[in-house]
Amino acid sequence: AADPGVRARWWTRLALMVLLQALLPTCLSKPKDEYHNLDGYGYSVIHEEIVKDSARTEAYRSAILENKSHFEGKVVADLGCGLGLMSLFSAEAGARKVYCIEGSQIASTAETIIRRNRKSDTVTVIKGRIEEAVIPEGEVDVIVSEWMGYFLHYEDMLPAILTFRDKYLADNGLIFPSHARMWLSLYSDTRWYNDRISYWKDVYGFDYTPIVSRVVEEQFVNPERQHLREDGVVSEPSLVHSVDMYTATLEDVKDIRATISSKVTRKATIHGIAFWFDVTLEGDEHSALLDTAPKAGYTSWSQVVWYLQDAFNATEGDDVKGTFAMMRTDRGEFDVAVRLKSPSRVELEAFDQSPSTMFQNLYERLSFEHGIYEEASDNQLHRLLDYASRLQLGFVAAGVSAFVLGWMVGQWH
Amino acid sequence: AADPGVRARWWTRLALMVLLQALLPTCLSKPKDEYHNLDGYGYSVIHEEIVKDSARTEAYRSAILENKSHFEGKVVADLGCGLGLMSLFSAEAGARKVYCIEGSQIASTAETIIRRNRKSDTVTVIKGRIEEAVIPEGEVDVIVSEWMGYFLHYEDMLPAILTFRDKYLADNGLIFPSHARMWLSLYSDTRWYNDRISYWKDVYGFDYTPIVSRVVEEQFVNPERQHLREDGVVSEPSLVHSVDMYTATLEDVKDIRATISSKVTRKATIHGIAFWFDVTLEGDEHSALLDTAPKAGYTSWSQVVWYLQDAFNATEGDDVKGTFAMMRTDRGEFDVAVRLKSPSRVELEAFDQSPSTMFQNLYERLSFEHGIYEEASDNQLHRLLDYASRLQLGFVAAGVSAFVLGWMVGQWH
């Protein structure tokens, strides 16, 4: 029998070897960015879209400049400040100190802009994550943040805001926005439906209906972002979720469940379900509403629509009831499900809808419009990391088996 | 010393183990598709865009149906046939046999469509690469193909067509299209320029010019696809490349060089260089021209524009001269360079412009419009495969080292 000391040494080396095998692919893989939607915000085109969204910018601008009593001599935090426009508005409204906190690399441009506009004494840019930002004053009087994403929550920025609020917001402090609401409505678009589905019945005299099943398969899987026609909204909006920014907890926004009740306003064929949100920026002197409904006109968010595989007919007065659920997964993705009881057949489910799914969607459109295609988007990065972790398991297994085989060979001699 | 027979057995087992280690990640990884732009063509939305491009479809339709003498009783190959519409036109024009060759998975839908339209006796779908297709007759009388991509060549399909032509086209056989030409012109768009650049001088009263350098950096790197305004074309088009489909060789389309001469038609500020192409479908009875110029109106290709970092002024009558070069790299990507001698400062270069760069661009736009974001696009797929092959090397190395270590441990005892 071998010396137990020697055997222990070898067992240590074996353990080290296995560890090395496990670590090697980890070193090869890219570090996982928990803020998976930040990368895209490094591009100027996205900020261009945001700044030029006048409904959005004007809502915040008026809320800040027409509520000067909340800002004069106060400490303000602008969370996810981007190019710092709201920080500049806050300085203009008389804030004593503004912290402009931004995690993407656009922060350095914000810094230059603030210097250029001679507001560096008042506005300080903090580059980094909102949750990790340190406020020297120990508290802030006002939080300003434009955290809303597609489907209200898809950018997954709200948890960071709530964490910051609990840590830093002074008693009687103010939050812009103060409230957020998500709405749902039935949507009808016969022209769209004919163009995508009926079109194939006669293509230059040929029957192309075999492609319809593919179109349906590709089209109806996920909720998607679109500018919806106002007259396509054919039922009264049903409130599916409401956030009070002063009292909401992290738990409140992790697992959202609601009952749906939406009264049909005109006889129509229902092709999908539309979602949008609005937020209130409520101060003592002025309140602003930022509404992203189809009837409110253009915003950079547009609306989200989820097309039905089978359209159904509805009549004025029908009360369509059902349930809505949206759960935040541990990976910061969302599972979304809609079930309409009447008609009973409508069930829509989407899993692992990451913040980047819709974000990427915006990014891709901007890429098309403005011509940026250098970087892999977040979604693909995630797939790559999934793939790497699968490989990693195989790696360890193969390493261990190779070691054991080698050991057996060594024993044989 | 060990028995040499036993040692040999163990060496064999060692070799098998290493092989297994090398194969395991290969099994995990997706097969590499050399036709890197084919995957996207598996989506119906892309075929929808193509079929609905009436300029394109009508040009081919008229060329086929109004040149029946070329088709009656003949063998036709429709290369990259997609949903098989041109194969159906060819059958309608009297072809004895049509081979509809398609590499993407949409081929199975094409097959169903052809069966549904009772043309299966005439039209046979061959699923696979054009270069590898086997034509039982040993030759074809007519080649029909719609191979053109952004920048004419970016889809990199032409080499496959020329290879097929050399192998199968009968003497006096016909090719649709017969000729292709790529054009270049100076482009002016002051409104666009102001919107993207001048806008930042005054954003709600603040100076945002520090972002301009970022905008420029993101915007002016690569040629990009856009629908250009007809009145923005401010010089006579300069022919940069011409392909005779009957005589062009693989070498001819690999390294394209041209001199530029473009006479300015009106005083204007030049913001970019526009590119487009046209093709001729020339038969004995009828000739069709498919033109993708801005003045020709909508096509699914639009145009390609390459914005200049520094706009310059030009006067009516100026003859802008320079050089153009486009080289196909071994990876099926393109390096493109434009140099204008007058004004001397204009130099544009883009490297590794893959077929998928622009293709992806189309795909992304369609994704936005039609809502498909399930699959990684080709570019990302390539990155993933690069990554997998790097991992694979590490895998083999780690496996071998684990084996050797195990062998040493075994020896020790």
Side-chain angles (χ1 to χ4, degrees):
Chain A
D3 171 6
V6 170
R7 188 174 289 179
R9 260 204 309 283
W10 278 110
W11 277 115
T12 312
R13 288 181 201 182
L14 168 60
L16 276 172
M17 188 68 206
V18 170
L19 196 69
L20 185 76
Q21 301 251 345
L23 287 179
L24 195 60
T26 309
C27 299
L28 281 172
S29 73
K30 289 196 189 183
K32 179 163 177 167
D33 183 359
E34 278 186 57
Y35 258 17
H36 24 175
N37 53 345
L38 278 188
D39 276 1
Y41 277 109
Y43 288 108
S44 67
V45 283
I46 289 176
H47 298 282
E48 190 170 331
E49 172 105 350
I50 291 170
V51 166
K52 286 180 175 173
D53 176 348
S54 60
R56 169 195 171 276
T57 305
E58 281 295 350
Y60 278 84
R61 181 172 181 263
S62 68
I64 294 169
L65 292 177
E66 294 176 32
N67 281 300
K68 283 195 177 155
S69 65
H70 290 294
F71 287 84
E72 277 164 350
K74 299 294 172 65
V75 179
V76 179
D78 179 359
L79 306 182
C81 65
L83 287 172
L85 189 54
M86 286 156 196
S87 292
L88 289 170
F89 290 152
S90 301
E92 205 169 63
R96 174 165 57 87
K97 190 77 212 165
V98 182
Y99 295 99
C100 171
I101 305 171
E102 174 58 42
S104 88
Q105 48 147 321
I106 203 81
S108 58
T109 307
E111 210 159 34
T112 312
I113 287 169
I114 284 154
R115 204 165 44 240
R116 173 76 60 99
N117 289 283
R118 300 169 199 280
K119 298 283 192 213
S120 298
D121 289 346
T122 309
V123 184
T124 299
V125 176
I126 299 178
K127 297 179 195 175
R129 298 183 49 147
I130 292 164
E131 299 94 318
E132 290 162 8
V134 176
I135 303 297
E137 283 80 356
E139 65 174 29
V140 302
D141 303 299
V142 184
I143 290 173
V144 175
S145 181
E146 194 272 84
W147 52 266
M148 300 82 73
Y150 304 120
F151 239 123
L152 185 57
H153 291 289
Y154 269 13
E155 286 192 20
D156 200 24
M157 194 173 153
L158 184 54
I161 311 298
L162 299 182
T163 303
F164 186 95
R165 175 202 67 186
D166 291 343
K167 203 166 159 191
Y168 284 120
L169 189 65
D171 294 341
N172 301 315
L174 182 86
I175 311 181
F176 280 157
S178 46
H179 297 85
R181 297 181 296 179
M182 180 162 45
W183 301 92
L184 165 162
S185 187
L186 302 180
Y187 188 69
S188 177
D189 192 342
T190 304
R191 199 169 54 185
W192 176 91
Y193 193 84
N194 287 344
D195 187 49
R196 298 300 315 282
I197 307 293
S198 311
Y199 170 84
W200 299 105
K201 284 181 190 157
D202 179 357
V203 177
Y204 293 89
F206 297 106
D207 176 358
Y208 263 67
T209 47
I211 203 177
V212 167
S213 63
R214 266 184 189 267
V215 173
V216 165
E217 197 182 304
E218 292 170 13
Q219 182 66 57
F220 300 86
V221 181
N222 286 317
E224 64 180 73
R225 181 192 173 215
Q226 272 191 19
H227 293 292
L228 297 182
R229 295 186 307 109
E230 187 185 341
D231 64 2
V233 176
V234 293
S235 74
E236 281 163 14
S238 174
L239 180 68
V240 285
H241 182 53
S242 159
V243 186
D244 180 331
M245 291 296 290
Y246 291 99
T247 59
T249 64
L250 290 174
E251 283 304 306
D252 290 343
V253 297
K254 195 180 167 185
D255 185 347
I256 297 162
R257 285 158 197 275
T259 55
I260 296 165
S261 172
S262 192
K263 196 163 275 184
V264 176
T265 50
R266 69 167 169 91
K267 190 180 173 193
T269 304
I270 311 299
H271 298 105
I273 300 174
F275 298 86
W276 65 86
F277 65 86
D278 57 33
V279 299
T280 316
L281 300 110
E282 200 176 284
D284 283 346
E285 297 151 62
H286 176 77
S287 275
L289 177 75
L290 171 53
D291 188 2
T292 68
K295 71 168 162 35
Y298 172 85
T299 70
S300 51
W301 288 279
S302 322
Q303 294 82 39
V304 168
V305 63
W306 205 341
Y307 286 107
L308 310 173
Q309 289 217 17
D310 301 294
F312 67 88
N313 294 316
T315 310
E316 192 182 331
D318 283 358
D319 190 8
V320 176
K321 291 178 181 293
T323 57
F324 172 87
M326 180 150 105
M327 275 150 286
R328 187 170 175 272
T329 70
D330 291 335
R331 293 190 55 189
E333 295 169 338
F334 291 90
D335 295 340
V336 189
V338 177
R339 289 192 174 73
L340 298 187
K341 284 180 205 154
S342 146
S344 60
R345 71 176 173 288
V346 175
E347 294 213 356
L348 299 169
E349 287 182 328
F351 298 107
D352 299 334
Q353 287 281 310
S354 72
S356 46
T357 303
M358 290 273 168
F359 180 83
Q360 180 187 344
N361 186 222
L362 164 66
Y363 176 73
E364 285 174 352
R365 187 171 65 88
L366 290 169
S367 299
F368 170 70
E369 283 172 0
H370 301 305
I372 298 175
Y373 3 79
E374 290 97 318
E375 299 267 338
S377 55
D378 310 295
N379 233 13
Q380 270 81 27
L381 183 63
H382 268 126
R383 283 210 194 91
L384 198 123
L385 289 169
D386 282 352
Y387 185 75
S389 62
R390 265 197 298 149
L391 272 182
Q392 204 159 320
L393 270 180
F395 222 132
V396 174
V400 171
S401 61
F403 179 87
V404 171
L405 190 68
W407 179 76
M408 282 164 65
V409 174
Q411 286 278 323
W412 193 274
H413 290 254
Chain B
D3 172 5
V6 170
R7 189 174 290 180
R9 257 204 310 283
W10 277 110
W11 277 116
T12 312
R13 288 178 200 184
L14 168 60
L16 275 172
M17 189 67 205
V18 171
L19 196 68
L20 185 75
Q21 301 252 343
L23 287 180
L24 194 60
T26 310
C27 300
L28 282 173
S29 73
K30 290 195 189 182
K32 180 161 178 166
D33 183 358
E34 279 186 59
Y35 259 14
H36 24 170
N37 53 345
L38 279 188
D39 274 2
Y41 277 109
Y43 287 109
S44 67
V45 283
I46 289 176
H47 297 282
E48 189 171 332
E49 171 104 350
I50 291 169
V51 167
K52 288 180 175 174
D53 175 350
S54 60
R56 167 193 172 278
T57 305
E58 281 294 349
Y60 278 84
R61 182 173 181 263
S62 69
I64 294 168
L65 292 178
E66 294 176 32
N67 281 300
K68 284 198 174 151
S69 65
H70 291 292
F71 287 84
E72 277 163 350
K74 299 294 173 64
V75 178
V76 179
D78 178 359
L79 306 182
C81 64
L83 287 174
L85 189 54
M86 287 157 195
S87 292
L88 289 171
F89 290 152
S90 302
E92 205 170 63
R96 172 164 59 86
K97 189 77 212 166
V98 183
Y99 294 100
C100 171
I101 305 171
E102 174 58 42
S104 88
Q105 48 147 319
I106 204 81
S108 59
T109 308
E111 210 160 34
T112 311
I113 287 170
I114 284 154
R115 202 164 47 239
R116 175 76 60 99
N117 289 283
R118 299 167 200 281
K119 299 283 191 210
S120 298
D121 289 348
T122 310
V123 184
T124 299
V125 176
I126 300 178
K127 297 178 196 177
R129 299 182 47 145
I130 293 164
E131 300 94 317
E132 290 164 7
V134 176
I135 304 297
E137 283 81 355
E139 66 174 27
V140 302
D141 302 299
V142 183
I143 289 174
V144 174
S145 182
E146 195 271 88
W147 52 266
M148 299 82 72
Y150 304 120
F151 239 124
L152 184 58
H153 290 289
Y154 268 13
E155 286 193 20
D156 201 24
M157 194 174 152
L158 185 54
I161 311 298
L162 299 182
T163 303
F164 185 95
R165 174 202 69 188
D166 292 343
K167 201 165 160 192
Y168 283 119
L169 189 65
D171 295 341
N172 301 317
L174 182 87
I175 310 181
F176 282 155
S178 47
H179 297 86
R181 296 181 298 179
M182 180 161 45
W183 302 90
L184 165 162
S185 187
L186 303 179
Y187 187 69
S188 178
D189 192 343
T190 303
R191 199 169 52 183
W192 176 90
Y193 192 83
N194 287 344
D195 187 48
R196 298 300 315 281
I197 307 293
S198 310
Y199 169 83
W200 298 105
K201 284 181 190 158
D202 180 359
V203 177
Y204 294 89
F206 297 106
D207 175 358
Y208 263 67
T209 48
I211 204 178
V212 167
S213 63
R214 266 185 189 267
V215 173
V216 166
E217 196 182 302
E218 291 170 16
Q219 183 66 57
F220 300 87
V221 181
N222 286 316
E224 65 182 72
R225 180 190 173 216
Q226 272 189 18
H227 293 293
L228 298 181
R229 295 187 306 110
E230 185 183 344
D231 63 2
V233 176
V234 293
S235 74
E236 282 163 12
S238 174
L239 180 68
V240 286
H241 182 53
S242 160
V243 186
D244 181 330
M245 291 295 291
Y246 291 97
T247 59
T249 64
L250 289 174
E251 283 304 306
D252 291 343
V253 297
K254 195 181 167 185
D255 184 346
I256 297 162
R257 285 159 198 275
T259 55
I260 296 165
S261 174
S262 191
K263 196 163 274 185
V264 175
T265 50
R266 69 168 169 91
K267 190 181 172 191
T269 304
I270 311 299
H271 298 105
I273 300 175
F275 299 85
W276 65 85
F277 66 86
D278 59 31
V279 299
T280 317
L281 300 111
E282 200 177 284
D284 284 346
E285 298 151 61
H286 176 78
S287 274
L289 176 75
L290 171 52
D291 188 1
T292 69
K295 71 168 163 39
Y298 172 85
T299 70
S300 51
W301 288 278
S302 321
Q303 294 82 39
V304 168
V305 62
W306 205 341
Y307 287 107
L308 310 174
Q309 289 218 16
D310 302 293
F312 67 87
N313 294 315
T315 311
E316 191 181 332
D318 284 357
D319 190 9
V320 175
K321 290 177 181 294
T323 57
F324 171 88
M326 181 150 105
M327 274 149 288
R328 186 169 176 273
T329 71
D330 291 337
R331 291 191 56 189
E333 295 169 340
F334 291 90
D335 295 340
V336 189
V338 177
R339 290 193 174 72
L340 299 187
K341 285 180 203 155
S342 147
S344 59
R345 71 177 174 286
V346 175
E347 295 213 353
L348 299 169
E349 287 183 329
F351 298 106
D352 299 334
Q353 287 282 309
S354 72
S356 46
T357 303
M358 291 273 168
F359 179 82
Q360 180 186 345
N361 188 220
L362 163 66
Y363 174 72
E364 284 175 353
R365 187 170 66 86
L366 290 169
S367 299
F368 171 70
E369 284 173 0
H370 300 305
I372 298 175
Y373 2 77
E374 291 98 318
E375 298 269 337
S377 56
D378 310 296
N379 234 11
Q380 270 81 25
L381 184 62
H382 268 126
R383 281 207 197 93
L384 196 124
L385 290 168
D386 283 352
Y387 183 75
S389 61
R390 265 198 298 148
L391 271 183
Q392 205 158 321
L393 271 180
F395 222 132
V396 174
V400 171
S401 61
F403 179 87
V404 171
L405 189 68
W407 178 76
M408 282 164 64
V409 175
Q411 285 278 322
W412 193 272
H413 290 251

